[in-house]
Amino acid sequence: SELSFSPQYINGKRVVILDGEAYFKVKHDADHPFVVQAGDVTTTVYGTEFNINTHAPQGIAVTLISGSVGVSAPHYTRRMVPGEQVSWSSSGTQEQHVDLLPYTNWRDGYLYYDEQSLESILTDLAHNYRLNVRFTDRSAMHLLTHFVCERGADINTVVTMLNEMGKAKIHLENNTLVV
């Protein structure tokens, strides 16, 4: 992830620009609002904890853990409530209530997947470890599973943990997770 910011206030605001994923815990300061710019999406903070991911499968996603934020994008403005996620993609804007555990686990140093396809889990792991994924058994792609590991775990440990679940055989071949 890349976070850019100016050491000075911009029009009285504390502004950061995000590319990637970040978890924020920000104290409200009415005189100096905290603003996160992520692509075309602007998140204005009113004292809160929230997660923003510019590389989410559904495009840019803002997830509110507690407190309040306002989000805006072209032709869209909304004040979010805790437990809500708003995402933007080429197919439009989506608002939904989500399980917050994946976001608080991410904050606490864990990768958390619940009832997700093995394909989406391995795609995310490959992104985190800068690897590729290849399915030689395509039927394994759609297996739903629950998987949790430490975010900084060695990739060989992660592969061992995945194999211990007994859903598929996975091994590391050069820079590729092979299923």
Side-chain angles (χ1 to χ4, degrees):
S1 295
E2 185 176 309
L3 190 67
S4 306
F5 59 92
S6 171
Q8 285 93 24
Y9 295 132
I10 299 172
N11 297 326
K13 299 177 182 176
R14 301 170 289 164
V15 179
V16 299
I17 299 168
L18 173 67
D19 181 24
E21 185 171 14
Y23 187 97
F24 295 90
K25 184 175 183 178
V26 181
K27 183 178 179 183
H28 179 63
D29 179 349
D31 294 331
H32 305 102
F34 186 81
V35 176
V36 180
Q37 188 68 46
D40 289 340
V41 176
T42 301
T43 303
T44 303
V45 179
Y46 304 111
T48 187
E49 289 187 51
F50 63 103
N51 191 84
I52 299 180
N53 188 351
T54 66
H55 299 162
Q58 66 274 34
I60 297 173
V62 177
T63 307
L64 183 59
I65 309 304
S66 66
S68 181
V69 297
V71 291
S72 61
H75 312 293
Y76 182 89
T77 301
R78 176 181 175 82
R79 193 156 180 157
M80 295 174 62
V81 298
E84 189 173 48
Q85 181 180 76
V86 180
S87 58
W88 294 264
S89 68
S90 58
S91 59
T93 304
Q94 181 181 3
E95 302 167 353
Q96 63 181 346
H97 280 76
V98 295
D99 176 10
L100 296 178
L101 205 50
Y103 305 97
T104 55
N105 271 313
W106 183 88
R107 169 198 68 196
D108 295 336
Y110 294 94
L111 296 171
Y112 176 91
Y113 309 94
D114 190 39
E115 290 303 304
Q116 291 188 29
S117 71
L118 192 56
E119 177 184 30
S120 72
I121 292 170
L122 290 178
T123 299
D124 189 62
L125 289 171
H127 175 78
N128 279 289
Y129 288 92
R130 297 197 163 129
L131 301 170
N132 299 305
V133 179
R134 186 174 77 233
F135 280 86
T136 58
D137 177 2
R138 305 210 41 90
S139 65
M141 294 171 72
H142 306 291
L143 293 171
L144 296 181
T145 193
H146 175 85
F147 181 70
V148 180
C149 69
E150 289 185 34
R151 194 171 60 226
D154 176 82
I155 188 59
N156 292 314
T157 302
V158 174
V159 169
T160 299
M161 291 171 66
L162 287 164
N163 283 320
E164 287 173 352
M165 294 188 316
K167 295 205 177 212
K169 288 186 176 184
I170 302 166
H171 68 277
L172 188 59
E173 190 175 289
N174 297 321
N175 281 346
T176 302
L177 291 170
V178 179
V179 183

